[in-house]
Amino acid sequence: MAPPPPPPPPPPPPLCLPFSLKRSKSSRPTPPRSLTAPSYAEKSDRYTHQSNELSRSGSLSSDRTLTSRAENLTFISDTEAYDNVPNIASVKATNLQRSDSKKTWGYGWGTGKKEKEVVKEKEVIREIRERDLPEKPKSGSNSRESPSQGPSRNSSQRSKQSSRSAALRPFIGRNDSSSTLVGSAFDRKLADANAPIKEKPDTFDRLEDLRKLMQKDQLDYYVVPSEDAHGSEYVAPSDKRREWISGFTGSAGQAIVSKTQAYLVTDSRYWLQAQKELDENWHLITAGAPEAPRDWIEWLTDRAKDSRIGIDARMITHEKASSLSMQLTAKGSKLIYPPQNLVDLLWKDKPQRSKESIFIQPREFTGKDATAKIAELREWIQAQPAATLSYSKVSPTPAQMHVGTLISSLASIAYLLNLRGQDIPYNPVFLAYLYIGLDKVILFIESAKVDDEISKYLQGLNVEKRDYNDIWTFLRRREWGEGKVIISPQTSYAISLMLTHLRYTVLPSYIDEMKAVKNEVEIEGLRRAYLRDGVAFVRWFAWLDQKLQQGYEITEYEAGYRLTEFRRHQKHFMDLAYENISASGPNAALPHYSPTRATARVIDRDTPYLNDSGGQYRDGTCDTTRTVHFGRPSDEQCEAFTRVLQGHIAIDGAIFPEGTTGKGLDVLARRALWQDGMNYMHGTGHGVGSYLNVHEGPHGFGIDVPLVPGNVITNEPGYYNAGKWGIRIESALVVRRVTTKREFNGDIWLGFERLTCVPIQTKMVKDSMLTKEEKAWLKEHNKRCYQRLEPYLKDTDSRALKWLKRESERGIGFARAGPGGLTIDWD
């Protein structure tokens, strides 16, 4: 179903930030405390990294996530009065009250302002920025200090204001917010507001230039995957080739260019997004739709006949290339691997690869030394039988023995060496290859990423360091000597071609199995990370609920931005785990919708609001989704929400024997939805890393891999009413052993422990549709959230504590209209 026409873009959004006057150190409110309540602090000392401590970045840029400099970011106390905040003489307060007096404009992005007011406020912001940077004064402006008038403050006062984060902030218009962004948060927001709006590129010339290169190799098709040379789901800016050639920014999808047409093949998460982002030169292929191909391989093999299909061998896995090649051969077609990536030849302003330093993830977070992990992997290599024919009775030769493994997965390398990096947004990994032999270990990485501390660390592990591109020399020269190298099916096909089939054996990745089973230190770290993330969520929900009840217009973008700011206060926060999914109305029906400043929709009171977001903490990766309603939900919305909740509860409370796969449990999440003819097209849940990738295999719901104790997996059923609204509820679970009444066949029974600690709103729940057990689960969950989070809010955020207490004590559903249509507000 085609989406409705997009609404006209709003006027250029001015900043409607609440500002506060500079305070002396003695009078400055104390920032919110870290989680130091007794239940949390008992083990905090061994989780604190003392030396060379990394700090969070003051930027959300896609190519820099960490910095060695601590950022200065504080929130003003939630209980502080703002009645007496004076105005700055040179800046007139703007009345932002609507003429109908029913809603108050402000604090969002200034929706509804006249164009002249927008221009005027942008000029004010420009004056503020230039006054805070005295080295670049603006002459001839209306600012308080001009060259002709001289400084209006003495030099000592000006020197105190040389720091931007401590500079005097004027009061612009109305200010009812008591959570004020200052310091680097102000800088981030100001920079974002001034950032140019990204326009849809015209891809005609790019496609024509690509077709000219295709002619040289006599190619009928050229495939541009979304992955990088390491098979990464999310890639660095320098590897966004598919985005450059097509304009589509989603994380999944393949661009296929023929002699006359261009196609983008992507799944249901991105259909509507692709329709908006692709220009008229592209055709969208909706993979997975009824009577549509399952994926790009099926689509291509159905069309290709006596064709030559080009692809960069580094950008396709061994598994996919082998399967595709066999299918194409049956059609008289073949894969061609040009020596250079054709997009790279055209992409003149291609970003450079990151040079950011890597850093150590200490044992206090990993629970296991890298030496022990390497030793375990070597034992696995030695345990693999020689590559001989099954019927052969001759002793294996040295050439048939396995002597090492080559690892290209970035997450696996980071996990095995207890190192983390900054090369891919939201994923703490670094570009590298790793060879583990029985007598040597070689890390292929750019030397600029390795400082003296890391060099000493690698030497202590007996790891040899070589340049990133030396991997191809290593493979070509067979530097490991006689014997076979083990590779995983997800290794790039270029490595397979370089090794030749006589030199490698393909086996499932053992490291994936290692990192998927979290040890007790990692599980404890995840518990604590989700507790801190829950504090941020509750503080943010309380802020958002209050502002909307007061009549403020908050956009999806502003809401997501604010949640990030609350997360930045939490201990060990490093970055987001992925781009915020903050969606209201029809945008919530797009499972992977992320708002932009220019096109974000105002959160309304008629449809559910969905927020799917997570944080990267040194002790764990978080992924949480909650859907809430700020008005009076319709019966249809309540029924859908209740069905989604029932599926969520069914997974959460599941008890199952060893050997049960995620695919075997998937139906539990869908059963309630199927009763009413509803469903969702994405998976029910995925594995989660320990300060690694938010999507981690090999297990997951919908996958034929047995769940084992220590697996961490998300539980996220949903329902999406296309063009209207969407619902999803997501919590993270860890697989644990449980004791059952009968214990049939012994101690083989497994269940889930819930990590996520964020209340579930009960307003949209239909009491009559729930069983007694489901009602008890919902009440227990919200009560548990209050009990666990209350110690960290009672002395720091009275508004959040009040909101949390209210949510934990709420009844299920809300009162319907009485006689004469009389209604009572839910709050």
Side-chain angles (χ1 to χ4, degrees):
M1 177 180 178
L15 285 174
C16 296
L17 288 169
F19 298 99
S20 65
L21 291 175
K22 178 184 176 184
R23 301 176 179 275
S24 64
K25 292 183 179 180
S26 61
S27 64
R28 184 174 298 164
T30 303
R33 301 182 302 176
S34 298
L35 300 181
T36 56
S39 60
Y40 180 83
E42 290 175 354
K43 303 179 182 179
S44 62
D45 289 342
R46 67 186 179 92
Y47 279 82
T48 304
H49 188 40
Q50 300 293 338
S51 61
N52 299 318
E53 186 171 4
L54 291 165
S55 62
R56 298 167 279 122
S57 170
S59 170
L60 288 179
S61 85
S62 60
D63 58 357
R64 184 174 180 85
T65 56
L66 301 172
T67 179
S68 59
R69 295 176 298 174
E71 77 175 42
N72 179 19
L73 173 62
T74 59
F75 276 73
I76 302 302
S77 169
D78 291 317
T79 57
E80 181 174 353
Y82 274 75
D83 297 337
N84 298 321
V85 177
N87 292 345
I88 300 302
S90 62
V91 182
K92 294 182 180 180
T94 305
N95 185 0
L96 300 181
Q97 187 166 354
R98 292 174 60 174
S99 58
D100 58 12
S101 300
K102 293 181 179 179
K103 285 192 176 182
T104 304
W105 293 114
Y107 207 76
W109 288 108
T111 307
K113 295 184 182 196
K114 295 180 180 179
E115 185 175 355
K116 291 182 179 179
E117 294 175 342
V118 169
V119 174
K120 185 175 181 180
E121 290 193 11
K122 294 190 79 173
E123 290 176 354
V124 170
I125 292 170
R126 192 179 304 113
E127 291 173 10
I128 297 167
R129 186 178 182 87
E130 292 175 352
R131 187 184 65 246
D132 292 342
L133 297 172
E135 68 276 13
K136 294 182 180 180
K138 181 178 179 181
S139 60
S141 69
N142 295 325
S143 61
R144 296 180 61 196
E145 297 180 32
S146 64
S148 61
Q149 294 172 333
S152 60
R153 296 182 290 270
N154 59 42
S155 58
S156 63
Q157 288 176 318
R158 294 192 61 179
S159 64
K160 292 179 182 178
Q161 296 193 5
S162 60
S163 172
R164 187 185 312 177
S165 62
L168 181 67
R169 304 300 186 195
F171 174 74
I172 298 182
R174 180 168 176 158
N175 183 353
D176 288 335
S177 174
S178 57
S179 294
T180 304
L181 291 172
V182 297
S184 57
F186 170 80
D187 297 332
R188 284 196 299 273
K189 194 155 193 176
L190 191 62
D192 184 83
N194 291 333
I197 298 174
K198 186 176 180 180
E199 297 181 356
K200 181 187 296 186
D202 184 350
T203 62
F204 179 81
D205 291 338
R206 297 176 184 181
L207 290 171
E208 288 302 299
D209 291 339
L210 178 60
R211 290 184 178 111
K212 292 177 182 177
L213 295 178
M214 290 169 58
Q215 288 180 353
K216 295 181 180 179
D217 289 309
Q218 299 179 344
L219 300 178
D220 298 291
Y221 296 91
Y222 188 72
V223 181
V224 185
S226 61
E227 296 84 3
D228 61 13
H230 302 270
S232 305
E233 178 185 11
Y234 299 100
V235 300
S238 57
D239 287 313
K240 293 185 176 181
R241 299 174 179 87
R242 190 225 54 221
E243 179 178 328
W244 182 83
I245 194 65
S246 69
F248 171 64
T249 62
S251 64
Q254 311 292 325
I256 303 176
V257 181
S258 72
K259 294 178 180 179
T260 58
Q261 302 291 334
Y263 306 90
L264 180 86
V265 186
T266 190
D267 60 55
S268 62
R269 297 172 298 169
Y270 298 105
W271 291 345
L272 297 183
Q273 178 181 340
Q275 289 176 1
K276 294 179 180 179
E277 293 182 342
L278 296 175
D279 65 12
E280 65 277 5
N281 299 301
W282 288 83
H283 301 278
L284 174 63
I285 307 299
T286 54
E291 300 182 2
R294 182 178 64 256
D295 54 25
W296 70 274
I297 291 180
E298 182 176 314
W299 181 87
L300 185 60
T301 52
D302 284 345
R303 295 177 62 91
K305 185 177 181 181
D306 300 325
S307 302
R308 291 167 57 89
I309 295 96
I311 192 171
D312 187 336
R314 299 172 301 163
M315 310 303 166
I316 185 171
T317 66
H318 171 90
E319 183 177 45
K320 286 185 178 179
S322 300
S323 173
L324 179 58
S325 183
M326 290 178 59
Q327 295 179 58
L328 291 175
T329 300
K331 295 291 190 74
S333 302
K334 63 183 301 186
L335 283 175
I336 305 296
Y337 309 105
Q340 290 180 289
N341 189 288
L342 301 190
V343 173
D344 286 349
L345 294 176
L346 301 173
W347 195 357
K348 303 303 181 185
D349 56 348
K350 185 174 182 285
Q352 296 295 314
R353 283 205 297 255
S354 169
K355 304 291 185 183
E356 295 292 338
S357 299
I358 59 177
F359 55 94
I360 299 169
Q361 178 74 343
R363 185 175 178 179
E364 59 189 319
F365 299 121
T366 65
K368 193 173 185 179
D369 288 328
T371 51
K373 294 179 180 180
I374 293 173
E376 182 179 346
L377 183 60
R378 280 176 167 158
E379 290 178 4
W380 175 79
I381 295 171
Q382 290 179 310
Q384 303 311 305
T388 59
L389 297 176
S390 58
Y391 55 82
S392 177
K393 297 182 180 181
V394 180
S395 298
T397 65
Q400 294 172 324
M401 301 297 292
H402 294 105
V403 297
T405 181
L406 183 65
I407 306 160
S408 61
S409 165
L410 303 184
S412 294
I413 296 172
Y415 166 82
L416 196 68
L417 297 180
N418 285 347
L419 293 172
R420 299 294 187 268
Q422 314 166 59
D423 290 354
I424 296 180
Y426 312 123
N427 297 269
V429 297
F430 51 93
L431 297 177
Y433 294 95
L434 183 66
Y435 172 76
I436 303 287
L438 299 179
D439 57 356
K440 68 169 63 174
V441 180
I442 305 174
L443 177 65
F444 299 89
I445 186 173
E446 291 192 35
S447 58
K449 299 177 183 296
V450 183
D451 58 21
D452 293 340
E453 180 187 8
I454 300 301
S455 293
K456 292 178 182 178
Y457 173 78
L458 293 175
Q459 289 174 8
L461 297 176
N462 293 320
V463 175
E464 178 186 347
K465 177 175 66 69
R466 291 178 58 172
D467 187 74
Y468 177 75
N469 290 321
D470 277 355
I471 180 65
W472 307 110
T473 302
F474 174 81
L475 296 175
R476 186 172 61 253
R477 294 178 178 176
R478 313 288 193 264
E479 293 185 22
W480 62 91
E482 275 195 298
K484 290 203 170 193
V485 175
I486 299 171
I487 62 173
S488 77
Q490 286 71 45
T491 303
S492 83
Y493 198 54
I495 290 176
S496 303
L497 293 174
M498 186 68 72
L499 285 169
T500 73
H501 71 281
L502 296 175
R503 291 282 187 161
Y504 68 79
T505 298
V506 180
L507 293 175
S509 171
Y510 182 67
I511 303 176
D512 282 352
E513 297 179 19
M514 290 172 61
K515 64 182 170 66
V517 180
K518 307 295 185 289
N519 58 49
E520 288 303 318
V521 172
E522 291 174 311
I523 293 172
E524 176 63 18
L526 281 159
R527 287 193 191 103
R528 293 147 58 93
Y530 272 97
L531 191 61
R532 294 194 301 273
D533 205 59
V535 170
F537 244 110
V538 167
R539 294 193 66 203
W540 168 76
F541 262 135
W543 168 83
L544 181 61
D545 185 71
Q546 182 188 68
K547 294 307 167 188
L548 290 175
Q549 294 300 332
Q550 290 174 348
Y552 286 90
E553 298 283 343
I554 309 294
T555 68
E556 301 161 322
Y557 180 87
E558 171 71 1
Y561 187 97
R562 268 295 181 144
L563 178 53
T564 300
E565 294 306 322
F566 280 112
R567 280 193 168 107
R568 285 180 183 277
H569 272 298
Q570 303 307 315
K571 185 178 181 182
H572 296 319
F573 177 83
M574 302 299 287
D575 197 1
L576 295 178
Y578 48 96
E579 195 171 13
N580 283 325
I581 298 173
S582 173
S584 179
N587 292 335
L590 310 177
H592 273 215
Y593 165 84
S594 292
T596 62
R597 173 181 53 84
T599 61
R601 190 176 188 270
V602 172
I603 297 173
D604 63 52
R605 297 171 63 89
D606 299 321
T607 60
Y609 167 71
L610 185 154
N611 187 286
D612 183 342
S613 62
Q616 288 282 14
Y617 300 88
R618 289 300 293 275
D619 46 0
T621 299
C622 296
D623 184 1
T624 301
T625 306
R626 289 294 182 264
T627 305
V628 296
H629 205 294
F630 296 105
R632 298 185 66 83
S634 67
D635 285 343
E636 183 183 20
Q637 293 165 359
C638 290
E639 289 173 4
F641 185 91
T642 305
R643 290 306 189 197
V644 171
L645 176 62
Q646 287 177 306
H648 185 88
I649 295 173
I651 289 289
D652 185 274
I655 304 294
F656 48 95
E658 289 180 349
T660 303
T661 66
K663 188 173 184 178
L665 296 177
D666 185 74
V667 68
L668 297 178
R670 302 177 189 269
R671 178 180 176 275
L673 287 162
W674 287 354
Q675 281 184 249
D676 289 343
M678 298 187 287
N679 204 357
Y680 52 95
M681 299 299 291
H682 57 74
T684 299
H686 54 81
V688 179
S690 176
Y691 187 39
L692 269 174
N693 297 351
V694 72
H695 291 164
E696 182 177 276
H699 63 284
F701 292 115
I703 299 177
D704 267 325
V705 174
L707 296 174
V708 299
N711 284 162
V712 176
I713 189 170
T714 62
N715 170 19
E716 48 181 316
Y719 177 70
Y720 309 96
N721 193 341
K724 295 181 180 179
W725 42 266
I727 292 166
R728 184 162 66 251
I729 305 173
E730 176 186 18
S731 296
L733 311 170
V734 58
V735 180
R736 309 295 278 177
R737 292 201 175 275
V738 299
T739 301
T740 58
K741 183 177 181 180
R742 303 295 183 188
E743 290 290 280
F744 182 78
N745 277 343
D747 184 21
I748 64 167
W749 297 93
L750 306 176
F752 295 115
E753 173 192 340
R754 197 178 326 121
L755 297 173
T756 304
C757 197
V758 180
I760 295 174
Q761 191 187 59
T762 60
K763 180 191 291 191
M764 285 186 286
V765 180
K766 276 203 165 187
D767 180 272
S768 61
M769 295 173 62
L770 296 183
T771 65
K772 179 180 177 181
E773 291 76 15
E774 289 168 339
K775 294 175 187 177
W777 183 97
L778 180 58
K779 293 177 181 178
E780 185 277 334
H781 169 75
N782 287 346
K783 181 179 178 181
R784 175 174 173 265
C785 290
Y786 177 78
Q787 292 172 341
R788 297 191 66 192
L789 299 179
E790 186 265 346
Y792 315 121
L793 295 170
K794 64 181 180 180
D795 296 326
T796 61
D797 195 330
S798 59
R799 176 180 59 195
L801 183 60
K802 181 180 178 181
W803 181 92
L804 179 62
K805 182 175 176 60
R806 185 193 74 188
E807 292 301 307
S808 67
E809 297 175 350
R810 283 284 184 196
I812 297 177
F814 66 98
R816 298 290 173 177
L822 177 65
T823 61
I824 301 175
D825 284 343
W826 193 75
D827 292 322

